[in-house]
Amino acid sequence: MAPAPDPISFSSEEIEAFGKVRSTLLNEGKVPADAVKMREVALVTIMSKCRVDKAVAKYNDLVSTLKVHSLTMDCLYPSAEELDKMADRLNENYQVCGVDKGGRGIMWLSSSKPIQVDEEADAVRSGMLYWLAVHSDIHTLREGCTFVIDTSKQTGKKVGNEKKMQQTWQSLPLRPQHLFIVGASWGKRVFINAMIRFASVFSSSKILGRVRFVEIDSVRDEIPEASMPHYLDGEKRSSVSEWVRTRITAFDGLTDEWQRQ
């Protein structure tokens, strides 16, 4: 079983910003009131550096993106049974890692198959839960993460929904301090670069400058050996599904802390 994370504690300034973002979302009415969740407000606000206008815009984008896939914010609060059903998808597409040399969390994508059209909603839900889990510690929330996309296992032809899925992932607030694309052939690089130009998490010039096409040895320069995924000789950890289940409990009690301020 994955070890329980430390409960997240926010500063008074951060909680004040959460309140402003929440109030603005409710007053604007662009998203349903029941879609304004404290946990997601907190994540989006901190990853927007507590800039209220930016956080509100990102939150609206997030809710709108879920709607495209016939999902709501409630999908990010799965029951134990629902998480069990997602286990195979989580374990096949993502990796559990330690932290990078800056103590930040690591997002490691290692999917081998393209997302089929009839699998889009399930893929979005599991991907967002993994994103939540990676950012379930205060250091990663405030300082960003290392993001690794291992393309070496990818097989299969393009499905035709690649731009749609890139727009989906673009809606996730993300602050990668290192962004590695591993094992991409020349042909894959051409395709990936085209997708980056269209719409992606790398859309800002600052983040674009952090995209690096590399081999795995370059990743090891930023990630300690023990923190690498197990398939690359890192420490053996729990399954991705169990890790996600445990990590998101770090937000338990957020409501009480918010109300105490």
Side-chain angles (χ1 to χ4, degrees):
M1 181 178 293
D6 295 330
I8 294 180
S9 183
F10 301 103
S11 70
S12 57
E13 291 80 7
E14 288 166 341
I15 291 178
E16 181 182 358
F18 303 162
K20 291 178 179 178
V21 171
R22 181 174 181 271
S23 296
T24 303
L25 289 166
L26 293 173
N27 291 334
E28 286 184 348
K30 293 181 180 179
V31 298
D34 61 1
V36 182
K37 308 286 190 184
M38 289 188 173
R39 181 181 68 187
E40 282 68 35
V41 167
L43 264 75
V44 171
T45 301
I46 291 186
M47 283 192 276
S48 300
K49 298 184 178 180
C50 291
R51 298 170 184 163
V52 174
D53 290 348
K54 181 178 179 180
V56 168
K58 269 294 184 184
Y59 202 95
N60 285 329
D61 287 346
L62 190 59
V63 174
S64 296
T65 296
L66 287 170
K67 187 176 180 180
V68 167
H69 297 282
S70 300
L71 298 170
T72 69
M73 278 293 187
D74 289 335
C75 80
L76 302 182
Y77 293 80
S79 66
E81 293 76 16
E82 288 174 317
L83 265 177
D84 287 342
K85 291 179 181 178
M86 285 185 269
D88 287 347
R89 182 176 296 278
L90 285 165
N91 295 331
E92 289 171 2
N93 294 302
Y94 304 98
Q95 297 293 325
V96 180
C97 303
V99 295
D100 66 15
K101 292 183 178 180
R104 298 173 290 256
I106 299 166
M107 289 188 69
W108 194 294
L109 281 62
S110 58
S111 57
S112 59
K113 300 176 183 177
I115 298 170
Q116 301 300 314
V117 173
D118 61 353
E119 298 174 342
E120 287 175 1
D122 288 341
V124 169
R125 189 182 190 190
S126 61
M128 287 189 175
L129 285 168
Y130 178 74
W131 164 78
L132 282 169
V134 170
H135 291 89
S136 290
D137 68 83
I138 196 63
H139 186 68
T140 301
L141 272 175
R142 291 172 177 162
E143 302 298 329
C145 67
T146 285
F147 190 7
V148 182
I149 304 174
D150 185 353
T151 70
S152 62
K153 299 180 181 180
Q154 289 182 2
T155 60
K157 297 180 180 180
K158 294 191 288 290
V159 175
N161 61 353
E162 288 78 15
K163 289 184 178 180
K164 178 182 179 181
M165 296 311 298
Q166 280 293 73
Q167 287 178 309
T168 295
W169 305 132
Q170 183 189 14
S171 73
L172 289 177
L174 199 62
R175 293 172 55 200
Q177 301 304 305
H178 303 286
L179 208 165
F180 299 111
I181 300 175
V182 179
S185 64
W186 182 85
K188 283 182 183 177
R189 292 186 186 195
V190 171
F191 174 69
I192 291 169
N193 275 319
M195 296 304 296
I196 289 173
R197 287 194 296 272
F198 173 74
S200 73
V201 296
F202 326 127
S203 55
S204 77
S205 59
K206 184 176 181 180
I207 296 177
L208 180 62
R210 294 175 182 167
V211 178
R212 296 170 58 192
F213 289 94
V214 301
E215 297 305 321
I216 203 66
D217 286 346
S218 296
V219 178
R220 295 181 192 276
D221 290 339
E222 301 298 337
I223 299 177
E225 188 72 22
S227 289
M228 296 288 284
H230 184 58
Y231 79 93
L232 290 170
D233 301 322
E235 290 182 0
K236 186 172 179 57
R237 300 176 177 85
S238 63
S239 67
V240 182
S241 55
E242 182 58 35
W243 181 77
V244 168
R245 185 197 311 272
T246 304
R247 284 278 293 183
I248 59 179
T249 64
F251 293 96
D252 291 353
L254 173 58
T255 301
D256 294 337
E257 181 176 356
W258 198 331
Q259 290 176 342
R260 283 197 298 268
Q261 299 299 313

